[in-house]
Amino acid sequence: MRAGAGEAGGRKILYLEPVGGIAGDMFLAAGVDLGLSPESIAQALGGLMVPGWKLAVSRAVRHAISGTHLDVVLDAREAHPHRAYADIQRLIEAADTLPPRAKARALAVFRAIGEAEAKVHGVPLEEIHFHEVGAVDSIVDICGAAVVLELLGNPEVYAAPPPLGSGTIRVAHGSMPIPVPATLELLRDVPVRFEGVGELTTPTGAALLKVLARIGHAPDFIVERVGYGVGTKDFKDRPNVLRASLGRAEARADAGLWVVEANLDDSTPQLLGHLMERLLEQGAKDVWVVPAVMKKGRPGHLLGVLVEGGQREGLMDLVLRESTTLGVRYHRVERHALERDWVEVETPWGKVRVKRGLRAGEVLNAHPEFEDCRQVADKAGVPLKQVMAAALAALTRG
């Protein structure tokens, strides 16, 4: 594998685009196309006590897009036993070559599939026997996907909504509609696309997305490598590829600003004042309360908080704990901030600091520091506004 993405700083991001859908072999192929060695993947899977398999890697083209195609080739003598979740759990836990985090991820994927199958068939998880997914190639695909994430440096994984396909397919239980029930059950409560012909997203692919990725918009990040995992089928309406973009989130002081909001129609002024103080103490960049007319003509307030991305969850929790709201909204915002500095000026009653806002070296705004002016005014027995005006006059003269 080449040097890892994100080593220059910023958290690692892996963004998956299931252009032609997603299956376990496509995930592994995308990892290889990003630069991972097939030998390193196979070595990490060597401790699985399943015989008679090897990875066959080749180049392939779909709709003029070139990428990596990967097959898990089985020994012709290898049977395809039906395995229970407990059997697969023992196989994975006994694999001494799998890193602990990869084991946990693989087990979570199998459990998700088992729970989906159990719900579809109306039986307990313990009675589910994996058919296609319990075969050697599927065990290698799922454990291999967990290994790929380890070898990529444990990136945060995001994915675009997958296309599910249409039609029917023959499986161990007989003829099934596409998407098969387990796939649709796995992808409940996340965005999907009902489009395409044939099975575009397999149960294994659906489970990998549901367990390992956040399905939806990716954060802003710098793309450093792109890989294409090529599927076996060649669809007429789309390239059968899984695109994987690997990079790092841009490390900027102002990156990831969010506005958190809540409508409040039953808060007292005392509660609001206390909450505003707590939010500022805990790192909010700004807090505001605006009068509003709520439903049924009730007077209320709109609470707004400007926060950096890393503090969003903590400050949202504070709003939920310290206010009477039952929920909050949040959205990303862009900001352009002036450069800032401080200068000290001399007034007839003493020195005060003035904060300046600059752009390209030009002073566009200036504000005397309130606490400095108040202390000087109190000590000299003069109006506060007179001290503030003198400070701005001194800045202009200087």
Side-chain angles (χ1 to χ4, degrees):
M1 177 183 172
R2 297 189 294 270
E7 290 173 359
R11 68 188 194 279
K12 295 181 181 180
I13 303 291
L14 177 65
Y15 183 50
L16 303 175
E17 296 172 87
V19 180
I22 180 172
D25 57 349
M26 294 171 74
F27 192 104
L28 291 187
V32 172
D33 211 53
L34 284 170
L36 296 180
S37 160
E39 292 76 19
S40 63
I41 298 173
Q43 182 179 6
L45 299 175
L48 288 169
M49 300 303 292
V50 289
W53 65 271
K54 66 179 180 179
L55 300 181
V57 177
S58 60
R59 300 296 295 173
V61 177
R62 299 287 183 268
H63 288 230
I65 297 177
S66 173
T68 296
H69 179 69
L70 183 144
D71 278 319
V72 180
V73 180
L74 303 179
D75 190 314
R77 297 166 296 179
E78 167 64 17
H80 291 250
H82 297 172
R83 292 181 170 93
Y85 174 75
D87 299 328
I88 293 174
Q89 185 177 22
R90 282 192 291 270
L91 278 174
I92 294 173
E93 290 177 345
D96 55 5
T97 56
L98 280 178
R101 187 163 49 198
K103 286 184 180 181
R105 283 172 168 156
L107 287 170
V109 172
F110 272 111
R111 184 172 187 87
I113 296 172
E115 289 174 345
E117 293 278 7
K119 183 165 185 180
V120 167
H121 298 300
V123 299
L125 174 63
E126 294 73 22
E127 294 182 18
I128 286 293
H129 282 73
F130 296 94
H131 299 283
E132 289 85 357
V133 179
V136 170
D137 52 350
S138 293
I139 293 173
V140 170
D141 283 344
I142 291 172
C143 294
V147 167
V148 163
L149 294 184
E150 288 296 306
L151 295 176
L152 290 177
N154 191 34
E156 295 178 19
V157 185
Y158 297 82
L164 301 185
S166 62
T168 59
I169 189 173
R170 295 289 302 180
V171 297
H173 297 289
S175 181
M176 287 279 183
I178 296 173
V180 298
T183 294
L184 201 54
E185 179 63 29
L186 281 160
L187 293 175
R188 277 195 310 118
D189 303 321
V190 300
V192 297
R193 292 181 286 144
F194 284 91
E195 62 181 43
V197 178
E199 188 179 35
L200 305 188
T201 297
T202 68
T204 297
L208 292 176
L209 290 183
K210 186 64 176 287
V211 175
L212 303 181
R214 304 175 200 177
I215 302 177
H217 294 293
D220 295 338
F221 72 107
I222 298 170
V223 176
E224 297 175 329
R225 279 187 262 156
V226 180
Y228 291 88
V230 179
T232 300
K233 296 179 180 178
D234 194 357
F235 302 124
K236 292 183 179 180
D237 65 332
R238 68 191 66 219
N240 189 14
V241 298
L242 171 66
R243 180 160 62 186
S245 300
L246 183 67
R248 56 185 171 84
E250 188 174 5
R252 264 189 344 218
D254 241 4
L257 281 177
W258 297 76
V259 168
V260 176
E261 294 179 330
N263 290 358
L264 304 169
D265 64 0
D266 55 356
S267 282
T268 66
Q270 293 92 338
L271 279 178
L272 286 173
H274 172 72
L275 176 56
M276 292 178 72
E277 290 177 3
R278 289 291 310 280
L279 288 165
L280 290 169
E281 289 170 359
Q282 295 300 315
K285 300 188 78 65
D286 200 0
V287 183
W288 58 94
V289 173
V290 180
V293 178
M294 317 294 285
K295 61 185 179 183
K296 300 182 181 179
R298 297 172 182 167
H301 299 88
L302 171 64
L303 171 71
V305 190
L306 182 65
V307 304
E308 291 184 347
Q311 295 181 302
R312 189 189 71 195
E313 294 298 323
L315 293 182
M316 279 200 311
D317 183 70
L318 183 58
V319 171
L320 292 168
R321 289 177 180 276
E322 293 283 356
S323 78
T324 56
T325 188
L326 297 177
V328 297
R329 302 179 299 275
Y330 54 88
H331 57 271
R332 294 192 67 161
V333 294
E334 300 282 335
R335 182 179 77 159
H336 181 83
L338 295 177
E339 301 171 34
R340 303 171 195 188
D341 69 1
W342 292 88
V343 295
E344 192 174 67
V345 299
E346 186 73 51
T347 73
W349 308 279
K351 294 180 179 180
V352 299
R353 292 171 297 160
V354 178
K355 180 166 63 175
R356 304 189 305 174
L358 306 94
R359 185 172 187 180
E362 180 185 2
V363 178
L364 301 183
N365 285 303
H367 300 281
E369 172 59 27
F370 176 79
E371 291 298 333
D372 287 5
C373 293
R374 184 172 67 174
Q375 290 176 12
V376 168
D378 289 347
K379 186 176 181 179
V382 296
L384 173 62
K385 64 182 180 181
Q386 194 170 339
V387 176
M388 297 180 74
L392 286 176
L395 178 67
T396 303
R397 290 194 304 270

